[in-house]
Amino acid sequence: MRTLLGFALAIAAAGPAAAGVQTKDVEYTYEGVTFKGQLAWDDATAGKRPGVLVVHEWWGLDDYAKMRAHELAKLGYVAFACDMYGVGKLAKHPEDAGKMATEVRNNVAVWQGRAKAALKVLADDEHVDASKLAAMGYCFGGSTALELAYSGADLKAVVTFHAALPTPTPEQAKAIKAKILVCHGADDKFIKQESIDKFKAALADAKVDLKFEAYPGAVHSFTVKGADAHMLPGMAYNAEADKKSWQAMQDLFAETLGGKK
């Protein structure tokens, strides 16, 4: 958690005039609800570049999602850490996080609609090549990235990290345009094998390009260094799985978006 605090302080201290990676808060609306996300880009890079939508965990848009967007900006992408709950909605207790995530998931049209509204913010940014877009997310955010793909969004790639894997309908699966990378903890007890099997079968039937990576010894939230602080059984950081999954994401983005490996 100290690492995330240090990141936030460093960004605040840097200010809008600092060289290198820049950040900007952006407010947008969907069906009367106001959201606030954060764009990140490297102003040392000239011209338009690929855009990556980053979707937060079930806690809401916190420093972790913003940190990942910052890392993507350093790799040469424009990243938008979006907000799926609304301005100021951030949970610290799992019960509150679960309620907020469930409220969104219970209405697929709203779930997808909010994700598409965020993708539009990214695509419309002056630094972005809107023909090269991807989405990625963590836990709830990974499921959201998949729902965005199910909506037929014009994405080149989708990457999930320790996400639930909602099964698309046959029509939704056929609407997927992106190559899909699932980064999964092989020992994640939160995601049932039945769900994994149904997800894989649905994508296979629609001939979707899917790569499923399961990391031995990794459990839920394996990419989040602060996961252990929540004291929830089955959630823990795994440095090796974190490193390997981030590299797998970079490889896919290099292939589909023309970015760095």
Side-chain angles (χ1 to χ4, degrees):
M1 300 303 289
R2 287 194 295 269
T3 300
L4 293 179
L5 178 59
F7 163 76
L9 291 174
I11 293 300
V21 174
Q22 304 290 296
T23 62
K24 178 176 70 173
D25 290 343
V26 180
E27 286 195 357
Y28 57 104
T29 61
Y30 175 75
E31 291 194 345
V33 180
T34 301
F35 305 89
K36 182 190 288 186
Q38 187 173 93
L39 277 163
W41 72 97
D42 189 342
D43 66 357
T45 302
K48 292 183 180 292
R49 64 216 79 162
V52 181
L53 186 70
V54 181
V55 194
H56 55 76
E57 298 179 278
W58 69 344
W59 310 107
L61 179 53
D62 54 14
D63 286 340
Y64 179 74
K66 293 176 183 177
M67 178 270 289
R68 290 300 191 180
H70 193 270
E71 290 185 339
L72 285 162
K74 290 193 292 185
L75 292 173
Y77 302 99
V78 178
F80 184 49
C82 72
D83 172 14
M84 288 296 294
Y85 294 158
V87 175
K89 289 191 175 182
L90 190 63
K92 292 186 178 180
H93 193 281
E95 184 175 334
D96 295 328
K99 287 179 180 177
M100 290 193 294
T102 299
E103 183 179 351
V104 176
R105 288 191 298 243
N106 280 344
N107 189 323
V108 174
V110 170
W111 192 3
Q112 294 180 352
R114 290 184 178 186
K116 286 191 283 188
L119 185 66
K120 187 177 187 303
V121 172
L122 176 67
D124 288 348
D125 183 72
E126 62 181 339
H127 304 95
V128 173
D129 178 351
S131 69
K132 296 180 179 179
L133 299 175
M136 51 95 87
Y138 298 85
C139 304
F140 163 80
S143 302
T144 300
L146 287 171
E147 287 292 343
L148 185 57
Y150 298 169
S151 76
D154 192 11
L155 298 167
K156 299 295 184 185
V158 165
V159 183
T160 76
F161 300 87
H162 39 87
L165 304 172
T167 303
T169 65
E171 293 75 18
Q172 288 176 330
K174 290 176 182 177
I176 297 172
K177 300 174 183 176
K179 291 189 175 184
I180 309 289
L181 168 65
V182 172
C183 299
H184 175 72
D187 295 335
D188 188 340
K189 303 303 182 185
F190 290 6
I191 313 300
K192 295 182 179 181
Q193 187 60 47
E194 180 183 4
S195 297
I196 295 172
D197 293 342
K198 287 182 178 179
F199 169 79
K200 286 182 174 179
L203 268 62
D205 288 345
K207 296 181 171 54
V208 175
D209 190 324
L210 169 66
K211 186 174 184 181
F212 192 99
E213 295 282 3
Y215 302 101
V219 295
H220 201 69
S221 295
F222 63 81
T223 68
V224 185
K225 290 183 179 179
D228 308 67
H230 295 294
M231 303 297 291
L232 292 173
M235 290 176 61
Y237 178 65
N238 184 300
E240 183 177 5
D242 181 19
K243 181 179 179 181
K244 287 183 176 180
S245 60
W246 187 254
Q247 185 59 58
M249 177 209 72
Q250 290 184 68
D251 291 344
L252 179 61
F253 287 172
E255 175 191 347
T256 57
L257 304 177
K260 297 178 182 178
K261 284 195 174 184

